[in-house]
Amino acid sequence: MLHEIPILEDLDTRKLPYAETNGRRQVYLETYGCQMNVSDSEIVAAVLRESGYGLTRDAAQADVVLLNTCAIRENAEQKVRHRLDHLRAQKRKRTGALTIGVLGCMAERLRHRLLEQEQLIDLVAGPDAYRDLPRLLQETQETGQAAINVQLSREETYADIAPVRVDSNGVSAFVSIMRGCDNMCAFCVVPFTRGRERSRPFTTILDECQKLVEEGYKEVTLLGQNVNSYRDGKVNFAALLWRLSAAAPTLRIRYSTSHPKDCTDELLHVHQACDNVCDYIHLPVQHGNSAVLQRMRRGYTIDTYLHLIARARTICPGVSISTDIITGFCGETEAEHRDTLALLEQVRYDHAYMFMYSERPDTYAAKKYRDDVPHWVKKRRLTEVIQLQSSIALQNNQAEIGKVHTVLVEGNSRRSADQLRGRTDTNKMVVFDRQQYAKGQYAKVQITGCTSATLLGKAVEPA
Ligand code: 5AD
Ligand code: SF4
């Protein structure tokens, strides 16, 4: 699974196709949810631009507002609903026409409800229907009726579409390598919203990365719901990484997300052997108790998971590991919850994304189990997990003090233009005084302090 990331956080005024006017219809595109949605929005931007639309950063100037939505948890959907309420109010007040569209995972799930109960939505397009957007936009404009395409595909990978990287920092880019998921974890709506798993031809991935290098990008994150399942003929994920590493030796390579049940030694050896494949692996465990993992249908036990962590740390010493945790899954007892706390103590992750279980319609858990852990208990357990994990992350970060890391500068720090921020190979955010450094450069930074989320340092020499 992929993660919600802060969107539009570091907007530079770039030479991008924003505020293109010339009488073209202007589209404002807003992205919710995970990195895959950010990557999809770049495809959408490319499709729309190609068919003559302009892209604007100002919703008030837009003729078309498209929300690229997420359905992973109830609160992700709530956020979009509130936004839609607001947009509909604006639409009523407007003199000119405003087309409102819902794209992505909510589109897929809620197509009927969105159109019937939540009128004033003009367009609904699922994650595999983005090539059809120009036609859908034209249809709704001509007929005044809602236009909809939520057909899922077994083939679509948008492999031939060159993404328009609307909100990129120019240093680091997402490259989608596969779509969909066949794992059917009991809690997860993704297989229903994004459909079956399919991989993009590896040559198109290499080409896209090569182009990014030519454009000055320094880092890519390869995206897929479960990258370990990547396969194009004989090329599996480890082989793809190996080839990409050799073809683009100056490019830092990351990926998200890998499934613990399919993470092979072959892949770990690629991390170890290829300098530009980052020493960071996200291995979402979800829970610290094997019976819960079985109910979640994750396909591994805590023993096999711990064995994997040990292998990763043996094969790639110094590798940084992060995870995802869900609290309050169906039937979770207090003792099972404590097993999650014990696992955190044992593995000592550098970072964790932590969530309360949110029942999602159509999933195995929704059909077979009762969502029986009271909300306040889920919340209390989540708080315990977060508090423990922050103290572990803080201790891990404190152990970095004095060390020197190679940091790729991504831009200004959020607090001050006198400071830069960037990430270590191990994916830790570092803030340091600007000195002579600029975005896109590497700096060797000595760590001088930290919080649980960020390292503070001082550049000691160019990398
Ligand atoms: N409730 C809570 N968290 C969920 N995730 C996925 N589905 C749910 C759900 N129904 C979490 C998992 C996944 C991450 C991206 O989101 O931890 O790895
Ligand atoms: Fe990730 Fe499992 Fe959901 Fe697939 S079904 S996206 S592996 S959590």
Side-chain angles (χ1 to χ4, degrees):
M1 269 298 328
L2 300 165
H3 288 282
E4 279 194 52
I5 60 157
I7 314 269
L8 301 173
E9 57 170 29
D10 181 23
L11 288 183
D12 292 349
T13 315
R14 291 166 48 78
K15 60 276 173 192
L16 286 164
Y18 267 119
E20 296 162 321
T21 41
N22 309 335
R24 291 190 270 184
R25 290 188 85 206
Q26 299 292 301
V27 179
Y28 174 80
L29 185 53
E30 196 166 280
T31 308
Y32 294 81
C34 67
Q35 295 141 318
M36 187 61 97
N37 264 13
V38 176
S39 173
D40 279 2
S41 287
E42 296 176 347
I43 302 286
V44 169
V47 168
L48 292 175
R49 193 185 180 199
E50 179 69 27
S51 64
Y53 286 88
L55 299 169
T56 174
R57 283 182 194 280
D58 182 2
Q61 299 295 317
D63 305 295
V64 179
V65 174
L66 300 176
L67 306 187
N68 192 1
T69 63
C70 169
I72 193 93
R73 283 171 289 275
E74 176 64 26
N75 57 8
E77 291 193 354
Q78 280 307 343
K79 231 190 276 175
V80 171
R81 285 183 198 292
H82 288 138
R83 182 71 174 125
L84 282 171
D85 287 343
H86 179 75
L87 286 170
R88 281 190 298 248
Q90 283 188 334
K91 177 165 173 156
R92 284 191 208 99
K93 279 191 242 148
R94 273 247 194 144
T95 37
L98 175 64
T99 301
I100 301 176
V102 170
L103 316 181
C105 290
M106 272 175 85
E108 202 56 48
R109 252 188 22 77
L110 300 178
R111 54 192 185 266
H112 302 302
R113 235 175 98 190
L114 280 171
L115 289 171
E116 285 158 20
Q117 297 175 4
E118 311 194 19
Q119 286 158 15
L120 298 178
I121 291 176
D122 308 291
L123 179 150
V124 179
D128 289 342
Y130 298 148
R131 286 181 202 269
D132 200 24
L133 277 171
R135 186 192 68 78
L136 293 169
L137 281 167
Q138 196 178 351
E139 182 184 314
T140 180
Q141 205 186 358
E142 282 171 10
T143 64
Q145 303 284 310
I148 172 164
N149 183 347
V150 291
Q151 188 76 41
L152 287 171
S153 156
R154 279 174 176 260
E155 282 97 39
E156 181 63 271
T157 59
Y158 301 113
D160 56 315
I161 295 181
V164 173
R165 298 185 194 274
V166 280
D167 290 325
S168 151
N169 58 11
V171 177
S172 168
F174 295 130
V175 173
S176 162
I177 64 164
M178 58 187 300
R179 300 179 73 80
C181 182
D182 287 348
N183 280 322
M184 294 286 181
C185 299
F187 50 80
C188 188
V189 78
V190 165
F192 303 92
T193 61
R194 288 190 165 268
R196 301 302 297 271
E197 195 171 276
R198 62 223 105 113
S199 296
R200 177 177 169 188
F202 83 89
T203 48
T204 67
I205 299 169
L206 295 189
D207 289 349
E208 185 174 333
C209 292
Q210 208 67 62
K211 202 161 150 248
L212 285 166
V213 173
E214 283 157 24
E215 288 167 8
Y217 282 85
K218 300 290 189 322
E219 179 181 275
V220 291
T221 304
L222 306 180
L223 296 180
Q225 247 67 43
N226 176 12
V227 290
N228 304 85
S229 305
Y230 177 87
R231 183 163 285 279
D232 175 18
K234 289 201 177 115
V235 181
N236 66 9
F237 184 58
L240 171 72
L241 272 186
W242 181 268
R243 290 185 189 215
L244 178 57
S245 163
T250 59
L251 198 59
R252 259 190 179 184
I253 304 167
R254 303 185 185 280
Y255 58 85
S256 187
T257 245
S258 68
H259 195 302
K261 79 176 163 50
D262 310 312
C263 181
T264 58
D265 282 5
E266 188 192 12
L267 176 61
L268 297 173
H269 282 293
V270 171
H271 274 274
Q272 194 273 325
C274 302
D275 278 350
N276 59 334
V277 175
C278 289
D279 285 339
Y280 167 66
I281 313 183
H282 184 64
L283 284 170
V285 68
Q286 311 297 358
H287 205 276
N289 176 278
S290 294
V292 179
L293 290 175
Q294 195 170 15
R295 295 205 289 283
M296 287 179 162
R297 309 176 103 202
R298 288 290 290 176
Y300 52 85
T301 63
I302 286 301
D303 279 353
T304 53
Y305 182 84
L306 287 174
H307 187 63
L308 169 63
I309 298 286
R311 269 175 17 235
R313 288 180 170 157
T314 306
I315 296 172
C316 327
V319 67
S320 170
I321 300 174
S322 62
T323 203
D324 293 348
I325 299 284
I326 297 178
T327 66
F329 186 63
C330 310
E332 186 193 60
T333 64
E334 204 55 32
E336 288 169 341
H337 162 62
R338 282 197 300 273
D339 284 344
T340 295
L341 298 174
L343 181 84
L344 295 181
E345 296 267 23
Q346 197 170 352
V347 177
R348 303 190 65 77
Y349 296 102
D350 285 315
H351 184 70
Y353 300 88
M354 297 157 280
F355 313 100
M356 261 188 291
Y357 174 59
S358 164
E359 185 177 89
R360 304 281 66 211
D362 300 328
T363 56
Y364 186 87
K367 287 187 195 144
K368 302 282 182 186
Y369 310 140
R370 279 184 42 230
D371 181 12
D372 54 0
V373 178
H375 186 264
W376 68 271
V377 177
K378 288 180 183 171
K379 205 165 161 184
R380 193 211 76 224
R381 290 178 184 171
L382 178 64
T383 306
E384 287 174 11
V385 165
I386 291 174
Q387 282 175 350
L388 174 60
Q389 177 51 36
S390 326
S391 74
I392 292 169
L394 179 62
Q395 287 160 22
N396 287 357
N397 281 351
Q398 281 165 342
E400 298 284 349
I401 294 175
K403 291 188 188 159
V404 174
H405 280 283
T406 302
V407 173
L408 173 58
V409 179
E410 291 177 15
N412 290 347
S413 103
R414 294 213 183 99
R415 298 234 172 97
S416 153
D418 296 334
Q419 290 192 311
L420 295 171
R421 72 189 165 98
R423 275 176 299 155
T424 63
D425 193 284
T426 50
N427 207 36
K428 295 194 181 221
M429 189 57 78
V430 184
V431 171
F432 63 100
D433 285 346
R434 174 183 292 279
Q435 297 179 41
Q436 76 274 30
Y437 296 98
K439 193 166 84 167
Q441 288 180 337
Y442 287 100
K444 284 228 189 290
V445 179
Q446 181 156 41
I447 306 307
T448 54
C450 68
T451 66
S452 63
T454 311
L455 299 175
L456 308 170
K458 185 173 174 1
V460 286
E461 55 172 294

